[in-house]
Amino acid sequence: MLSLASFTTLLAASATLVSARPVELSKRINQIISASTAQWEQACLAAGGGQRCNPLSVAAFSTLLAAPGPCAQQDAADNMIDLALQLNNNAEMIRLTQIFRQQPRNAPDSLSVLYCQNAPRNQQLQGLFQCQFQGVNDNVFTGNVALGQPGTRPLGVNNLNPLGSCPANPNGKIPDGVQLVTLVNSPGTGAGNGAANPAPAPPASSSAAAPAPTANPPANNNNNNNNNNNAGGGNATGFQAQNARDAQALNQQFASLTVGSACTVGQVACLSDGSFAQCPFGTFVATPCAGGTQCMALPLVNSV
């Protein structure tokens, strides 16, 4: 049975594409989803979360894809808060989870993403909801639901002004494809009172999180892994070298996986056709990547 390497992140690479139609232009709005939880995963490891960190991180960033339901992102954030509370109420993990909860989701149809209408389990997430990307239509939501219909306003909010904003970024929407965690330090005033005065964000540095790679066209996996392993310089640390080998080993295992392959519930992988796969019921279910890109295991370059 396939197992995930603790320090290896699956990247569902995405590109921003524009497709011409007879009358209108439809912009496909995507992001490097793995970047949304990279800092959280490092904070989790630093707090002693060990092998519990990576599976939660991968499960969380997968909810930023278009397919999951309106509450999937909040449910994942609740799981992240649960672990933070177990790790001595880790304030940094809580802060980063609150920001992740507000990260915009992919909008391949250029429509606004519906809001969750269920309350979170944890008070640290109360009043939080996702921002929208700047390129989405403010007046039409996923499924062609018109503004004003159920799900088009955050839970408990009667009049969101400006449209597409969120507590962490109350002045408006987020530039397409950008990670909210790179723009703000504070999760905003919507956060619950249980955050225990989260510590301020650390200064930006090359070791704070893995750099957001550009979309990769289908290519030889070994070459991509070697390029990423050498991104930090010619002399990779033992951690980086081992992480690169782990990524290569995963890609070799992925080469034999297809839709319907047996798996452990909650597992994620890349399939032999380049699709991103999740295991909800014991066999893999595929989610296609954006055109011209593919899913692969890439090594992190974070310092530890």
Side-chain angles (χ1 to χ4, degrees):
M1 187 64 65
L2 174 65
S3 62
L4 287 175
S6 296
F7 299 107
T8 302
T9 298
L10 295 181
L11 173 65
S14 299
T16 299
L17 305 177
V18 177
S19 59
R21 293 183 179 180
V23 178
E24 61 179 358
L25 289 178
S26 178
K27 184 179 181 181
R28 190 180 181 93
I29 305 172
N30 297 317
Q31 61 188 301
I32 304 299
I33 56 176
S34 60
S36 65
T37 58
Q39 291 188 39
W40 180 91
E41 184 171 346
Q42 292 306 303
C44 180
L45 292 171
Q51 295 184 355
R52 292 176 290 177
C53 301
N54 182 258
L56 281 181
S57 175
V58 174
F61 72 61
S62 300
T63 66
L64 300 181
L65 296 170
C71 291
Q73 183 179 4
Q74 177 174 280
D75 292 343
D78 264 321
N79 293 335
M80 296 161 75
I81 292 290
D82 288 343
L83 181 55
L85 296 178
Q86 294 172 28
L87 298 175
N88 299 315
N89 296 322
N90 188 274
E92 180 66 353
M93 291 175 64
I94 292 173
R95 181 185 73 85
L96 291 169
T97 301
Q98 291 171 327
I99 293 176
F100 163 77
R101 173 62 186 96
Q102 300 174 75
Q103 173 62 28
R105 292 179 53 182
N106 286 3
D109 50 9
S110 296
L111 302 181
S112 292
V113 177
L114 291 166
Y115 297 101
C116 179
Q117 298 301 300
N118 298 330
R121 293 196 318 271
N122 292 290
Q123 64 175 348
Q124 291 85 353
L125 299 177
Q126 289 178 1
L128 300 183
F129 48 87
Q130 81 272 10
C131 272
Q132 305 283 355
F133 280 130
Q134 287 180 352
V136 302
N137 187 327
D138 290 336
N139 298 308
V140 184
F141 286 71
T142 305
N144 291 318
V145 179
L147 179 64
Q149 297 301 308
T152 62
R153 291 190 177 94
L155 180 66
V157 177
N158 293 324
N159 183 26
L160 182 61
N161 185 24
L163 294 174
S165 62
C166 60
N169 196 67
N171 294 325
K173 296 188 286 188
I174 305 301
D176 292 351
V178 173
Q179 294 301 314
L180 181 62
V181 72
T182 67
L183 301 178
V184 303
N185 290 336
S186 170
T189 57
N193 295 325
N197 297 319
S205 68
S206 59
S207 63
T214 56
N216 293 321
N220 181 278
N221 287 348
N222 290 336
N223 288 340
N224 281 322
N225 290 332
N226 289 336
N227 289 339
N228 279 275
N229 189 47
N230 293 331
N235 298 319
T237 66
F239 167 78
Q240 291 171 322
Q242 182 58 51
N243 196 243
R245 288 192 290 270
D246 289 340
Q248 291 174 342
L250 275 178
N251 284 320
Q252 291 175 357
Q253 295 177 56
F254 294 159
S256 64
L257 298 179
T258 60
V259 173
S261 292
C263 55
T264 302
V265 174
Q267 186 179 359
V268 294
C270 298
L271 302 185
S272 57
D273 64 358
S275 298
F276 175 75
Q278 301 181 73
C279 185
F281 306 113
T283 57
F284 278 122
V285 177
T287 300
C289 294
T293 65
Q294 69 179 27
C295 175
M296 66 185 68
L298 295 178
L300 292 175
V301 295
N302 306 66
S303 62
V304 294

